[in-house]
Amino acid sequence: MIRTDSAAAGLYDDTASTVNRADLSTEPRDFVDFKIQMVYFVLGCAGLMPSTLLFAVLPFFLNRVKGSPYAGLFSSYLSIASTSAGFVCLAHATAVAKSSIPTRQTRRSILALLAFTLMVTISALVPSTPDAYFMFIMFMTIFGAGTVSYLNSPVFAVASIFGPRALQAVMIGQSAVGVVVNFVQLISAAISLRTSGAKAVHVGRTPAETTAFICFTFATCILCASLFAHTWLVKTPAYKILIVPIENRLAAIGELEERHALLGSSESTKERESTKERLIRVAKANVLYEIAVAYVFIVTLSVFPPLTIEIKPVNPRFHPLLFAAAQILLFSLGDLFGRHLCSFPSLLIWAPRKLLSLSLAHTLFIPLFVACNLQLPSASPAESPLLHLISAVPNPAPLINSDFIFFLIVFFFGTSNGYTSTLCLLAAPSLQHNKNLKSKGDVDTAVNVGLFCMVGGLTIGSFASIGIRAIVCKCNPFVG
């Protein structure tokens, strides 16, 4: 039998009463079965699909924009466009979360993402100039990232009603899709090297085109599966009991606001002011969780891969292309493993100060990467006096002179990223463990604010990576 939990009753409810924590001995996760977990796993895959797809087919895009003045920094422009658009749209999605219907918004977002994959796939078959194709991909990147924000907002909010296991399933899904795509990249790189080594004449698709075709097909299948899975979810007894009453109330509020707007009433304005006050209050109350989840992604995106890509294999027989592909795959595997660790109750951390300390400790991986076989390019005094002095010193043997140990560091770097970020997003909206939440309606607000801070960390990290690139290439990153 499924009953409405106290966390569910207050979602989107600005008049929810103060939480009676004595009633929280049983959480909504007790009613989340394997099927519901799999639905949220698939929705998590869909939520990271556009960015994963675009970066997975990066070699294909680079070939299409070759000759354009933007080709040299194409990946950086792609990252900035994706994270910035996601940040702005998620801010809007968070602000209007109280007035949107989760089921409707989720379905529309998935359909929009299907249109996204269709247009990108068609563009691969249509000839165009490098500059025109660059502008098209930037537009599609912004469109896809914005749509993902409007998808993730209701997905995370509704998952918070079902409880931590549903939230964790979303996080694992986001990581798992990256593992699959990065594995395809590694295989593609191996096939490419084998073909070039044999000096065979390749007739038909190139490895980059083959990878792009596989990724486009995979993305379409995942999005179709997420649409069917969500359709099934809304018909389940759990959804009808936990979510439908909330959506009915939202619809009633929407009709009331329309009437107030027609009559010139100020009550709808007061409602919006109340929502804004709640956002500010919850953001202040959960500031340690929010800093923790943002900082871990700032560190991750600022050094991975701008710094780690400059680490070369110690073994001369290890081809650099395979070495780079392997480190990206290992990071994805570590990230997935870290998120899975949150399945074990003994490994869960709820205290905000401990989570912030764990996030700050993520910084310790930076000197470990520097101690590996980091090969900075040489520089002239005119280009960079500091880098010239560094490059003039003979390179000693690296402190960590082992490819295997470097791969272990990358794996645990990914584990730290996945484990810490998942813990923060589980703890922030927990009525049972987060004493800063004052009412039942704070749950979805805490989730959306935490998600907003996570995307903010990704955005800051992507901009910081430009500075890291400037350091390692001793150049103006926007010129070459």
Side-chain angles (χ1 to χ4, degrees):
M1 180 177 179
I2 301 175
R3 62 179 176 83
T4 303
D5 191 89
S6 57
L11 190 69
Y12 298 109
D13 186 358
D14 291 333
T15 62
S17 60
T18 302
V19 174
N20 181 4
R21 299 186 185 279
D23 297 333
L24 297 178
S25 57
T26 302
E27 289 198 355
R29 67 169 181 262
D30 295 335
F31 308 104
V32 177
D33 58 20
F34 178 74
K35 292 180 180 179
I36 292 178
Q37 281 186 290
M38 289 305 300
V39 168
Y40 278 102
F41 173 84
V42 174
L43 289 174
C45 291
L48 205 64
M49 183 53 64
S51 59
T52 303
L53 174 64
L54 292 174
F55 283 97
V57 299
L58 188 59
F60 172 75
F61 289 149
L62 288 173
N63 184 60
R64 288 293 301 269
V65 301
K66 186 181 297 183
S68 169
Y70 310 107
L73 269 182
F74 181 81
S75 60
S76 295
Y77 287 125
L78 198 67
S79 177
I80 290 175
S82 177
T83 54
S84 299
F87 182 77
V88 171
C89 292
L90 186 60
H92 179 260
T94 301
V96 301
K98 296 289 183 182
S99 58
S100 60
I101 307 299
T103 300
R104 186 186 306 162
Q105 185 173 333
T106 301
R107 189 183 304 275
R108 289 176 177 176
S109 298
I110 294 174
L111 290 173
L113 289 178
L114 279 170
F116 163 84
T117 57
L118 177 63
M119 287 186 285
V120 174
T121 303
I122 293 175
S123 73
L125 306 175
V126 178
S128 64
T129 63
D131 288 350
Y133 197 71
F134 171 82
M135 297 304 297
F136 172 78
I137 291 301
M138 288 300 106
F139 172 78
M140 294 309 302
T141 299
I142 293 172
F143 173 76
T147 304
V148 161
S149 294
Y150 290 108
L151 171 64
N152 282 335
S153 179
V155 166
F156 274 87
V158 175
S160 69
I161 302 178
F162 283 98
R165 288 202 297 176
L167 278 173
Q168 187 191 7
V170 177
M171 298 289 289
I172 290 178
Q174 291 185 337
S175 183
V177 70
V179 171
V180 174
V181 172
N182 289 324
F183 179 75
V184 172
Q185 284 181 304
L186 180 62
I187 297 300
S188 176
I191 294 175
S192 177
L193 291 174
R194 182 178 180 181
T195 302
S196 61
K199 298 181 179 180
V201 178
H202 187 80
V203 179
R205 290 194 182 98
T206 65
E209 290 174 336
T210 301
T211 301
F213 177 77
I214 294 174
C215 290
F216 289 146
T217 304
F218 177 70
T220 303
C221 292
I222 288 294
L223 291 172
C224 288
S226 66
L227 185 61
F228 285 116
H230 183 259
T231 301
W232 174 86
L233 177 66
V234 299
K235 297 178 181 179
T236 60
Y239 200 91
K240 291 178 180 179
I241 293 177
L242 296 177
I243 311 301
V244 172
I246 298 172
E247 295 189 331
N248 290 338
R249 180 181 179 276
L250 288 174
I253 291 175
E255 293 177 0
L256 186 61
E257 287 186 342
E258 289 181 4
R259 294 176 185 174
H260 288 158
L262 292 173
L263 297 174
S265 172
S266 61
E267 292 187 25
S268 60
T269 302
K270 294 179 181 179
E271 178 79 12
R272 286 193 294 271
E273 290 174 348
S274 175
T275 300
K276 184 185 297 185
E277 290 173 0
R278 168 165 292 185
L279 282 170
I280 295 174
R281 176 175 58 80
V282 172
K284 288 181 178 180
N286 281 352
V287 64
L288 294 183
Y289 294 114
E290 293 151 5
I291 293 175
V293 72
Y295 183 77
V296 71
F297 282 107
I298 290 174
V299 172
T300 297
L301 260 71
S302 63
V303 300
F304 188 88
L307 180 66
T308 60
I309 205 68
E310 298 297 332
I311 297 175
K312 307 304 179 184
V314 175
N315 186 344
R317 293 179 295 180
F318 207 144
H319 196 283
L321 181 61
L322 285 179
F323 187 80
Q327 70 167 273
I328 295 175
L329 176 60
L330 283 170
F331 173 84
S332 298
L333 288 170
D335 185 66
L336 178 61
F337 178 68
R339 299 181 189 214
H340 179 66
L341 288 177
C342 298
S343 302
F344 302 95
S346 60
L347 297 178
L348 293 176
I349 300 174
W350 303 102
R353 293 185 182 276
K354 291 182 179 180
L355 289 176
L356 180 59
S357 299
L358 192 62
S359 177
L360 295 176
H362 194 58
T363 313
L364 297 176
F365 283 97
I366 297 178
L368 289 178
F369 286 132
V370 174
C372 294
N373 192 27
L374 181 64
Q375 299 293 324
L376 291 175
S378 59
S380 66
E383 292 173 321
S384 175
L386 178 60
L387 280 176
H388 174 71
L389 291 176
I390 296 174
S391 60
V393 178
N395 288 333
L399 293 177
I400 301 177
N401 196 23
S402 168
D403 295 333
F404 177 74
I405 295 179
F406 167 69
F407 285 144
L408 278 181
I409 294 173
V410 170
F411 178 82
F412 286 115
F413 183 62
T415 302
S416 172
N417 181 81
Y419 180 61
T420 306
S421 60
T422 302
L423 285 176
C424 292
L425 291 180
L426 291 179
S430 174
L431 285 172
Q432 185 179 28
H433 300 283
N434 184 2
K435 309 303 180 183
N436 297 323
L437 301 185
K438 302 302 182 182
S439 66
K440 301 168 184 177
D442 288 349
V443 174
D444 68 309
T445 302
V447 169
N448 279 313
V449 173
L451 187 61
F452 175 75
C453 291
M454 181 185 76
V455 177
L458 290 169
T459 304
I460 296 173
S462 65
F463 277 97
S465 69
I466 300 296
I468 297 296
R469 176 181 170 84
I471 294 175
V472 299
C473 77
K474 42 85 178 139
C475 64
N476 180 350
F478 293 101
V479 175

